[in-house]
Amino acid sequence: MSLDPLTRRWGLIGGAIMAFTGAIGMLVSFDERILISPILSLGYLTLLLAPAIAGHMAARGKVSVLEEPEHDVAQGAQKGLVAGLIAGVFAVVFMLAVNPFDLSEFFPNINDRMFDMMTFDFGLGLGSVVLIVASALAGAAGGAIYGLDDEPREGVFRSAIWVILFSLFELVVSDVIEVDAIVDLIYARGGGLHIWSAIIIGVLAWWLGVRYKGRRAELTQMAKDSEAGSRLRWSLIGVAALLVIVLPMLVGGIVNELLINVALFILMGLGLNIVVGLAGLLDLGYVAFFAVGAYGMAVLTSPLSPAFSPELNWWVALPVVMVLAAIAGVLVGTPVIRMRGDYLAIVTLGFGEIVRILILSDWLTPFLGGAQGITRIPGIPLGATSVSGTSPELFIYMTMLLVGVAAYISYRTQESRIGRAWAAMREDEDVAEAIGISTVQAKLLAFVTGAIIASFAGALFSAKVGTVFHNSFDVLVSIIILVVVIVGGMGSIRGVALGALILIGVLGGPKSQGLLGEFAEFKLLIYGAILVYMMLQRPEGLLPSVRRSRELHQEEAAQDAWLDKKGSFIEEPEASV
Amino acid sequence: MNKKRSLRFLAVIGVLSLVVAACGDSGAEFEAGELGAVTVEAGEAIQIRSLNAISGEVAFLGIPNERAIRMAVEDYGQIHGHDVEVGAGLDDLCSAEGGQQAAQTIVSDEQVVGVIGTSCSGAASGAMPIINDAGLAMISASNTSPSLTSDLEGTAGENYYEGYYRTAHNDLFQGQAAANFVFNNLGLTKVGLIHDGDPYTNGLTTAFENAFEELGGEIVIHTAVTVGQTDMVPVLTEVAAAGPELIFMPIFPAEATFIVQQAPGVSGLENVEWMGADGISVENFMNLPESEGMYFSGPDTRFAENTNEATDLNGAQFLEDYESEFGEAPSADFWGHAYDATTMLLMAIEEVAVVDGDTIHIDRAELREYLTGISGFNGLIGEISCDEYGDCGAAVISIFQHNNLADHQASKSNILYTYPES
Amino acid sequence: MSTEVAPEPVRSRRFKFNWVDGFLWFLRVAALIAIVVGVVGSIQQFADGEGPSAAAWRDLIVSSISTGSMYGLIALGYSMVYGVLGFINFAHGEVFMSGTMVGLISATMLFENGFWDSNPWISILVVLVVAMITSTLVAVAIERVAYRPLRGAPRLIPLITSIGVSFFVQYSFAGLFGVAIRNYPPAPSQLSGNVDILGIPIAGTRLLVIGVAVVSMIGLWYFVTQTKTGSAMRAVAEDKEIAGLMGIDVDKTIVTTFAVGGAMAGVAGLLWALLFRGVDFLTGFLPGIKAFTAAVLGGIGNMPGAMLGGVLLGLFEGVGPQLVLAGLGIPAVSQLKDAVAFAALVLVLIFRPTGLLGERLGSEDRV
């Protein structure tokens, strides 16, 4: 049998991923998290997923639009087996190559724990054989799955995904269920699903998927067909709103805490979306406005603000903070208004850093507290109580209120005159000016609107945490907000929400952990990988806005060709809300 | 949270809820205090939590604390026949919001009795409002900011919350110790201070400044570097221009390394003495030839002879155990504080627990009261007594001169001054 | 997409004088006044015998120039890629970091067997070669995996990709090498002393850094202007399509550009090791941003501009706080070093929107 170059290539890629994840300590670290007790940890899932995907891709071969892809289990399994075998051999060669040397001085993660983990604790000799066999089997499984017919293949995927979701999101599920006895039925004590509960979840997911397949398609169709303003559309929106209102009551403090973090990033994402997504101004210093909001609120409400301490009520201070943010927007926006697009990125990045450095500086310490920050910031007064981070199940409603306001602003501006001016400016600044749009005004308005929305997030942040320190406002925050917007879909409100939910809620934000605390060390590695993958495969984001994706697809012919090559068509025009 | 229980039951499959009803009530005679109580049923473990900076740049500080907590729990053994469970170590991310998020995770489990943490003072200011609201007690091994406890003269700090305790010393204490040493023992009167914008380093330089000026010395410059800065020539030029006799920089290894390596290239610093604090009395910094001759202030870590009365372990044995388990010496100086903090909490639980057959009840208010009343407890760090604002540190600051590049322990024993002066 | 629409920054506008211009004029005047007052204040201090001594000023200036020449070498990579492909390669700072990190392994090995002290010059050469090879390979690999599939995409897309690549490389190195900061062995004793230049003592390492930077710059200048590959690069930068029609292999030339930029970053990696010794996975981040700032300062796409921008930026951030801010009576001025660097960028762009020596961009970028 001659070796298909594509199979070899995917096998080598799979092996390289296995070696890489081992060498950076990812496998060992993920091994702590048990998914199915006692047989599968996140580490082993990661280890075996690489050959499985390699097998799958090898079986897939070159995809051609013209031919119907072949589906043959045996052939898929065979190709997958070979790819998995190559991957396993690669990983073993890597281990044998590094084993004789003591590399721990330079590569601390290439250590005994890595070898133990990758050899399934069997020792290097027997373990290598086990790894190769396991990898080949994983590859064969991956290839065989590709060979299945559509329906069973989807079933397998669905089952696997639900089992993994249930085991990964143990925290949420047990938090929602709350009753220990039931939680113990699903999850083992040391973490992870029981084997039989995993099987039940898998079977259920398969069965429900098959059972309700038609129904789901019908519902999606119905939602799509419903016209804006129709009764159906309104009732769908009503159901969604009700769900959003009830959800925080169903979940406990931790999940609400996570949701607040997510909501803060949705807010900032919506603001940045106006600047980058609608007006097309790449702002890498957006955190500056967040800082203005947070520090503005801290100075105005905290009794411990060093120099000036009016101790205002949060609600009274909010408009003042908004005005401060608007001024900051103008101050940052004006000097950069006539700059070339790419210079904007570096100059705004610089502005963001300048703000953080000034906040921290000993020079402004008499006003802003410097290294000691500002503490004892009161919560948001609401009737007789004060809502702060100590009661996340109430605070979430405050954040949702402001997210609603920001979403409304984004939605209205998008369809308004200024929204169209932004779109024109984004397309071609000179043409926009030629048809009578004042680009100066349009750009400043984008900066100011974005700044005000970020200041909402800052004002909430202060009241929630109760203290502000400079290190919450570094350049990483700006970049992560940008990633949220881009992964979700530039210009799309739903996209921003989804992006924040996945990135901040699951992986974690710059200073907060997501649901998967294990990822903390590798969070930014995964962020980077997602960003590159998205740009290569789906540059318009997960839930793109119609106009934006049309733009991406309508620019010069060369660009069209480039996107088409990626096969990322947007089939259905979706509303950009 | 009870108010939402009815709603949450909606999500529960009805039949299974019967199981819960069956194993519901017991221990009716015990009367809980105003903060409520934790009831640990037969066969269940007592829940405590650890909250430390275990990732990122400050992991060197949090990880030995985290390990010492687990060692202490293991050494202490069962309490009234119940195991003690610490759960997965939580990360305070060395930030206020990280501390708050972790605290939220802790209080969402109503079985948790107490917390050992945080590593960073900033994280404590985010965590304490929530910990306090839930009625828990939290003991930190390495927070040193005066704002979390008191000014040592009877005024509560701005971020003091009930239920907060620490075995670490108060910065004011170390500031005083370092200032005394420089002014009286070294006889120097002109000092330059460098902090790095961290609340801890800035708090310590400020404490030093106040103490030193009170003694009659002069702070000729009080400046700062930023975390991650590498080019130190500008800041050293600024410092040199002020003409200090000694530079006190209680900062962390990365920036301190750049400073001592670049100092020889700056005119005017040739005859200056250098002094650091516990943030840099760590292995990789003390390996630098440039660090030889420097003074270091920090908690007195001559714990070898001290014995923790709850577990009968002494400092020397602890270090032996630590090295054999983790293959390295602790990377920061607060391991003894963490060990003692944990045994204090466990001892308090043991003392206030009301035993009711196989079940025990732990009253939260009484637990706090017990901790506040601790006096003369012998720990690894010495004799521990808590004051009314939660400062429990045995508080001995020692200052040593690094005179032995090859053997850091020998250097650390070269102690020139201890405070309080006995 | 407007982010790629780059109208000439100073164009004939309809607004003859509006409040935007007014504000910009206000900024220009305010900045000038602040600078003049600050400098006069510092000179006054110096005359009064306060502030840094003459020797301290000299050390500060020499050190700033050496740091600046390192920025300049990194800036060349940004400038060249921008000239050819028209986007900011944010991952270039990581290319530089990879060189220093891997160079550290060779340096440590040489040090441990005593070769470092016995043959300092050969050792430095070995580290230089290792750093250059690593950086070149990383740069070429990044181009192949992440940027080549994006040829022709809207400009924002490769830019965002480069941010992702930057994170990925950073944290791969964090995983591989650990997060702790590591130190290069101390510079050989032959270097650590002072050298007298025209009677002025200058630290040997700093002199070497400046020297290496100048030699690399001259070498690069020769390569770009005098060799065939160099003219191909210039042709591709001018107009990719026409260059292709002229029989130039555009893809290959782009790879060469990345490789040359990577090699320069590798040289800068050695200079970093000589200047600061300590490296960790974040080493590339701030210098990367500073170097891009330097490229913009000098005029993007302009190679002498990148070098000049680097040296000037080094001077601005090194000398600026002490010279201007201290004179204004601001405490702890060195803390504001990075803020001064970015403020300098904003000011230069307000005064000269195309950078100090002017942009050199291809036809499609000029609009």
Side-chain angles (χ1 to χ4, degrees):
Chain A
M1 189 191 80
S2 69
L3 190 54
D4 176 10
L6 207 66
T7 308
R8 191 181 60 209
R9 185 166 158 227
W10 280 108
L12 290 176
I13 291 177
I17 292 175
M18 290 163 87
F20 176 74
T21 48
I24 62 172
M26 200 181 215
L27 295 177
V28 170
S29 163
F30 283 10
D31 196 33
E32 314 254 307
R33 175 67 176 261
I34 293 157
L35 295 182
I36 302 176
S37 172
I39 52 166
L40 184 68
S41 73
L42 186 57
Y44 282 105
L45 179 72
T46 314
L47 179 66
L48 294 179
L49 207 56
I53 291 176
H56 191 84
M57 298 309 284
R60 186 159 161 244
K62 271 205 165 35
V63 178
S64 154
V65 188
L66 300 173
E67 292 167 44
E68 187 67 14
E70 281 176 68
H71 286 294
D72 179 350
V73 177
Q75 199 193 336
Q78 194 196 3
K79 276 191 174 174
L81 186 80
V82 177
L85 197 69
I86 296 172
V89 170
F90 187 107
V92 166
V93 168
F94 159 75
M95 284 197 292
L96 294 177
V98 296
N99 185 50
F101 311 103
D102 179 19
L103 295 172
S104 59
E105 189 190 349
F106 300 113
F107 302 103
N109 285 314
I110 300 182
N111 53 23
D112 290 344
R113 289 175 72 197
M114 183 198 90
F115 288 118
D116 289 346
M117 198 274 163
M118 289 182 75
T119 54
F120 299 80
D121 289 321
F122 283 117
L124 206 55
L126 180 58
S128 299
V129 180
V130 176
L131 178 62
I132 293 176
V133 171
S135 166
L137 290 179
I145 289 172
Y146 181 77
L148 290 171
D149 286 334
D150 284 351
E151 198 160 293
R153 190 176 65 236
E154 275 169 24
V156 170
F157 276 139
R158 196 176 321 109
S159 301
I161 287 171
W162 279 103
V163 170
I164 292 172
L165 283 181
F166 258 86
S167 47
L168 277 181
F169 299 150
E170 186 177 339
L171 185 73
V172 184
V173 178
S174 20
D175 200 35
V176 169
I177 294 178
E178 210 189 50
V179 181
D180 288 347
I182 301 173
V183 172
D184 284 346
L185 282 179
I186 305 177
Y187 294 109
R189 263 296 159 95
L193 294 163
H194 296 292
I195 296 178
W196 58 271
S197 59
I199 294 173
I200 292 179
I201 290 168
V203 171
L204 266 178
W206 189 313
W207 180 73
L208 287 173
V210 176
R211 176 84 175 67
Y212 290 107
K213 193 180 179 197
R215 189 72 62 81
R216 209 182 52 202
E218 228 170 80
L219 266 175
T220 329
Q221 197 53 43
M222 238 162 65
K224 265 179 195 154
D225 289 345
S226 66
E227 284 162 35
S230 75
R231 194 180 291 172
L232 183 63
R233 173 57 77 84
W234 279 114
S235 51
L236 282 175
I237 290 176
V239 169
L242 201 68
L243 201 72
V244 168
I245 290 172
V246 173
L247 190 72
M249 298 180 194
L250 288 175
V251 298
I254 328 162
V255 178
N256 273 322
E257 168 83 23
L258 276 174
L259 286 176
I260 294 171
N261 285 333
V262 171
L264 288 178
F265 273 84
I266 295 180
L267 254 182
M268 290 191 275
L270 287 174
L272 187 66
N273 186 36
I274 290 181
V275 184
V276 182
L278 300 186
L281 305 162
L282 184 60
D283 184 348
L284 291 183
Y286 192 63
V287 70
F289 305 126
F290 178 48
V292 167
Y295 265 87
M297 188 51 84
V299 167
L300 292 171
T301 60
S302 168
L304 293 179
S305 159
F308 169 71
S309 169
E311 294 190 50
L312 296 180
N313 174 313
W314 191 88
W315 296 100
V316 179
L318 187 63
V320 185
V321 167
M322 285 164 64
V323 171
L324 288 175
I327 294 173
V330 174
L331 284 181
V332 174
T334 315
V336 300
I337 238 164
R338 302 224 169 84
M339 278 178 199
R340 155 195 287 286
D342 304 291
Y343 288 9
L344 197 74
I346 195 79
V347 170
T348 48
L349 192 152
F351 268 122
E353 277 295 273
I354 290 175
V355 167
R356 188 186 63 81
I357 293 167
L358 287 181
I359 287 174
L360 167 65
S361 70
D362 287 4
W363 179 34
L364 296 182
T365 296
F367 307 96
L368 299 176
Q372 301 299 330
I374 299 179
T375 56
R376 289 270 173 185
I377 303 165
I380 303 171
L382 206 66
T385 57
S386 161
V387 183
S388 71
T390 54
S391 46
E393 52 279 332
L394 290 177
F395 199 87
I396 180 77
Y397 289 105
M398 291 308 307
T399 51
M400 286 193 329
L401 177 75
L402 288 187
V403 167
V405 172
Y408 183 75
I409 295 176
S410 311
Y411 178 66
R412 295 297 296 191
T413 47
Q414 235 170 41
E415 303 304 321
S416 69
R417 248 190 78 198
I418 181 70
R420 287 194 296 273
W422 284 333
M425 191 171 79
R426 186 174 76 214
E427 290 266 1
D428 192 323
E429 207 171 318
D430 289 333
V431 173
E433 205 152 291
I435 58 172
I437 291 168
S438 160
T439 54
V440 171
Q441 206 183 27
K443 280 184 179 178
L444 277 183
L445 210 60
F447 267 110
V448 168
T449 321
I452 289 176
I453 294 180
S455 76
F456 287 170
L460 286 169
F461 177 85
S462 281
K464 173 183 176 276
V465 182
T467 54
V468 285
F469 291 107
H470 71 97
N471 61 2
S472 307
F473 307 102
D474 61 19
V475 60
L476 194 60
V477 181
S478 297
I479 292 175
I480 284 185
I481 305 168
L482 183 71
V483 178
V484 163
V485 172
I486 285 166
V487 168
M490 258 200 271
S492 149
I493 296 174
R494 290 178 315 165
V496 170
L498 183 72
L501 208 61
I502 294 177
L503 294 175
I504 310 299
V506 178
L507 286 177
K511 289 271 174 204
S512 65
Q513 291 200 340
L515 275 176
L516 304 177
E518 291 75 9
F519 284 2
E521 260 174 277
F522 304 101
K523 184 166 64 190
L524 291 168
L525 182 85
I526 299 171
Y527 263 90
I530 291 179
L531 204 52
V532 175
Y533 179 82
M534 288 293 293
M535 284 299 108
L536 294 179
Q537 299 297 331
R538 205 180 157 86
E540 68 274 34
L542 292 173
L543 286 178
S545 87
V546 193
R547 189 182 278 163
R548 187 85 202 177
S549 52
R550 236 185 265 145
E551 266 169 38
L552 271 175
H553 293 266
Q554 277 177 358
E555 280 172 5
E556 292 162 48
Q559 292 169 15
D560 263 334
W562 169 79
L563 273 168
D564 287 353
K565 203 170 66 199
K566 302 277 152 239
S568 55
F569 293 100
I570 305 304
E571 282 134 356
E572 310 278 350
E574 290 173 68
S576 55
V577 199
Chain B
M1 281 195 187
N2 282 336
K3 57 186 179 287
K4 296 193 312 284
R5 175 152 294 192
S6 56
L7 267 171
R8 268 183 240 177
F9 267 87
L10 290 175
V12 174
I13 308 156
V15 185
L16 292 175
S17 62
L18 290 174
V19 182
V20 195
C23 39
D25 28 81
S26 62
E29 316 96 53
F30 174 77
E31 210 95 358
E34 52 180 325
L35 297 177
V38 174
T39 298
V40 185
E41 305 281 352
E44 286 187 355
I46 298 167
Q47 300 290 333
I48 67 170
R49 291 289 176 265
S50 72
L51 173 53
N52 284 291
I54 48 180
S55 70
E57 290 152 4
V58 272
F60 77 92
L61 177 63
I63 284 173
N65 289 4
E66 168 80 21
R67 289 170 172 171
I69 293 167
R70 286 168 198 281
M71 289 169 70
V73 168
E74 200 170 299
D75 292 349
Y76 197 92
Q78 288 192 324
I79 295 177
H80 300 302
H82 294 265
D83 286 335
V84 176
E85 208 173 278
V86 187
L90 292 153
D91 196 347
D92 73 11
L93 297 170
C94 207
S95 69
E97 54 267 52
Q100 186 179 51
Q101 191 184 11
Q104 206 75 61
T105 313
I106 290 169
V107 302
S108 70
D109 184 345
E110 288 159 30
Q111 286 297 107
V112 175
V113 186
V115 186
I116 307 296
T118 58
S119 297
C120 299
S121 295
S125 68
M128 267 324 286
I130 293 170
I131 299 287
N132 181 34
D133 259 25
L136 300 182
M138 181 167 104
I139 313 178
S140 166
S142 55
N143 294 164
T144 55
S145 165
S147 79
L148 292 168
T149 54
S150 74
D151 64 355
L152 299 180
E153 283 164 13
T155 313
E158 53 210 39
N159 293 314
Y160 171 69
Y161 290 88
E162 278 175 41
Y164 179 81
Y165 304 88
R166 66 175 170 208
T167 49
H169 55 267
N170 189 314
D171 275 342
L172 295 174
F173 207 75
Q174 179 162 191
Q176 187 69 50
N180 283 355
F181 171 73
V182 173
F183 193 80
N184 297 331
N185 295 43
L186 296 180
L188 303 177
T189 53
K190 290 163 134 189
V191 168
L193 299 171
I194 302 177
H195 70 87
D196 71 357
D198 182 88
Y200 159 69
T201 65
N202 175 260
L204 191 47
T205 52
T206 309
F208 185 98
E209 178 169 21
N210 295 335
F212 197 67
E213 283 178 345
E214 190 137 304
L215 289 170
E218 187 193 354
I219 300 298
V220 290
I221 185 163
H222 189 168
T223 187
V225 294
T226 51
V227 175
Q229 186 177 331
T230 48
D231 185 0
M232 298 298 177
V233 175
V235 72
L236 289 171
T237 307
E238 187 190 348
V239 171
E245 293 164 336
L246 178 138
I247 295 171
F248 180 48
M249 46 166 196
I251 55 177
F252 292 106
E255 291 75 29
T257 302
F258 290 122
I259 286 187
V260 296
Q261 286 177 350
Q262 291 169 34
V266 176
S267 308
L269 292 176
E270 293 81 6
N271 301 315
V272 171
E273 302 276 1
W274 295 85
M275 182 161 159
D278 40 78
I280 48 175
S281 58
V282 296
E283 181 153 354
N284 60 355
F285 183 75
M286 288 174 68
N287 278 337
L288 297 172
E290 291 90 344
S291 71
E292 197 173 10
M294 268 181 78
Y295 302 100
F296 293 83
S297 80
D300 196 318
T301 51
R302 288 172 300 175
F303 300 155
E305 301 300 312
N306 294 349
T307 303
N308 183 301
E309 67 178 59
T311 59
D312 276 334
L313 182 91
N314 69 28
Q317 283 166 308
F318 176 93
L319 286 175
E320 219 170 90
D321 291 355
Y322 191 101
E323 291 215 31
S324 75
E325 193 165 344
F326 304 109
E328 57 180 17
S331 52
D333 283 341
F334 293 96
W335 43 270
H337 301 77
Y339 189 91
D340 288 344
T342 316
T343 53
M344 274 164 64
L345 179 66
L346 297 177
M347 187 178 74
I349 293 172
E350 181 154 13
E351 293 296 322
V352 304
V354 175
V355 183
D356 175 13
D358 286 339
T359 305
I360 57 171
H361 306 281
I362 302 152
D363 186 89
R364 294 194 160 129
E366 277 181 33
L367 186 74
R368 285 185 176 182
E369 212 169 291
Y370 184 91
L371 285 169
T372 312
I374 283 182
S375 169
F377 174 82
N378 285 313
L380 294 181
I381 61 170
E383 204 175 277
I384 297 174
S385 302
C386 295
D387 73 7
E388 59 178 318
Y389 297 108
D391 261 326
C392 303
V396 178
I397 298 294
S398 65
I399 292 170
F400 68 87
Q401 186 172 23
H402 184 26
N403 61 356
N404 193 334
L405 272 179
D407 182 357
H408 298 168
Q409 282 311 320
S411 274
K412 287 190 176 185
S413 307
N414 178 32
I415 289 178
L416 305 180
Y417 177 75
T418 49
Y419 181 84
E421 295 161 48
S422 46
Chain C
M1 292 192 22
S2 81
T3 34
E4 64 166 311
V5 173
E8 307 157 42
V10 186
R11 56 172 180 264
S12 58
R13 9 188 145 80
R14 283 174 292 121
F15 336 90
K16 279 295 170 237
F17 186 88
N18 60 20
W19 69 270
V20 172
D21 294 296
F23 183 74
L24 291 182
W25 273 111
F26 168 75
L27 276 186
R28 288 178 187 137
V29 174
L32 275 183
I33 292 176
I35 291 170
V36 169
V37 171
V39 172
V40 169
S42 289
I43 293 172
Q44 187 70 45
Q45 274 184 2
F46 187 74
D48 294 348
E50 290 167 24
S53 62
W57 278 112
R58 179 199 67 216
D59 292 346
L60 186 59
I61 291 170
V62 171
S63 117
S64 303
I65 291 177
S66 58
T67 312
S69 29
M70 183 192 68
Y71 288 156
L73 282 182
I74 310 174
L76 287 170
Y78 280 102
S79 214
M80 283 161 54
V81 168
Y82 197 98
V84 170
L85 287 176
F87 79 94
I88 308 172
N89 176 16
F90 266 98
H92 192 62
E94 287 11 288
V95 170
F96 151 74
M97 178 271 289
S98 66
T100 33
M101 280 291 241
V102 177
L104 176 78
I105 297 182
S106 59
T108 310
M109 284 174 167
L110 292 170
F111 183 69
E112 276 166 4
N113 62 27
F115 197 79
W116 180 269
D117 284 317
S118 55
N119 293 294
W121 295 107
I122 300 175
S123 301
I124 287 180
L125 202 65
V126 170
V127 176
L128 176 70
V129 170
V130 171
M132 282 176 75
I133 290 176
T134 313
S135 290
T136 308
L137 288 179
V138 171
V140 171
I142 291 174
E143 193 275 335
R144 182 70 197 81
V145 175
Y147 302 148
R148 188 170 307 170
L150 295 175
R151 214 53 55 70
R155 182 179 302 185
L156 198 57
I157 287 180
L159 191 151
I160 292 164
T161 310
S162 73
I163 295 177
V165 171
S166 168
F167 275 145
F168 187 84
V169 177
Q170 257 177 35
Y171 285 87
S172 297
F173 272 79
L176 281 173
F177 289 81
V179 294
I181 192 160
R182 292 141 182 278
N183 284 300
Y184 269 82
S189 49
Q190 290 94 322
L191 273 172
S192 39
N194 282 347
V195 181
D196 271 20
I197 302 274
L198 304 173
I200 305 165
I202 290 174
T205 37
R206 304 208 176 270
L207 198 65
L208 179 68
V209 165
I210 299 171
V212 171
V214 169
V215 169
S216 315
M217 182 68 203
I218 293 172
L220 184 67
W221 186 245
Y222 178 83
F223 174 77
V224 171
T225 54
Q226 304 297 317
T227 65
K228 247 196 162 135
T229 330
S231 10
M233 272 168 65
R234 281 182 296 140
V236 171
E238 188 61 34
D239 194 318
K240 276 193 278 300
E241 271 172 51
I242 294 181
L245 291 176
M246 304 289 282
I248 293 170
D249 184 340
V250 175
D251 267 345
K252 207 178 121 198
T253 312
I254 290 174
V255 172
T256 316
T257 311
F258 272 87
V260 174
M264 288 295 134
V267 178
L270 172 79
L271 302 192
W272 174 278
L274 290 173
L275 284 175
F276 304 126
R277 288 172 50 193
V279 290
D280 68 3
F281 70 102
L282 289 173
T283 291
F285 183 68
L286 203 56
I289 290 175
K290 294 274 180 63
F292 181 71
T293 306
V296 174
L297 267 184
I300 202 134
N302 185 325
M303 282 202 265
M307 208 60 208
L308 176 74
V311 173
L312 279 180
L313 190 74
L315 280 170
F316 286 153
E317 67 165 29
V319 181
Q322 198 61 46
L323 184 65
V324 178
L325 299 185
L328 292 171
I330 292 172
V333 286
S334 328
Q335 212 182 6
L336 302 172
K337 183 168 149 283
D338 295 341
V340 170
F342 291 122
L345 171 75
V346 176
L347 287 179
V348 167
L349 287 182
I350 287 177
F351 280 103
R352 270 190 74 88
T354 54
L356 292 168
L357 299 189
E359 297 165 339
R360 294 220 185 124
L361 295 174
S363 53
E364 58 258 63
D365 295 322
R366 273 190 301 256
V367 182

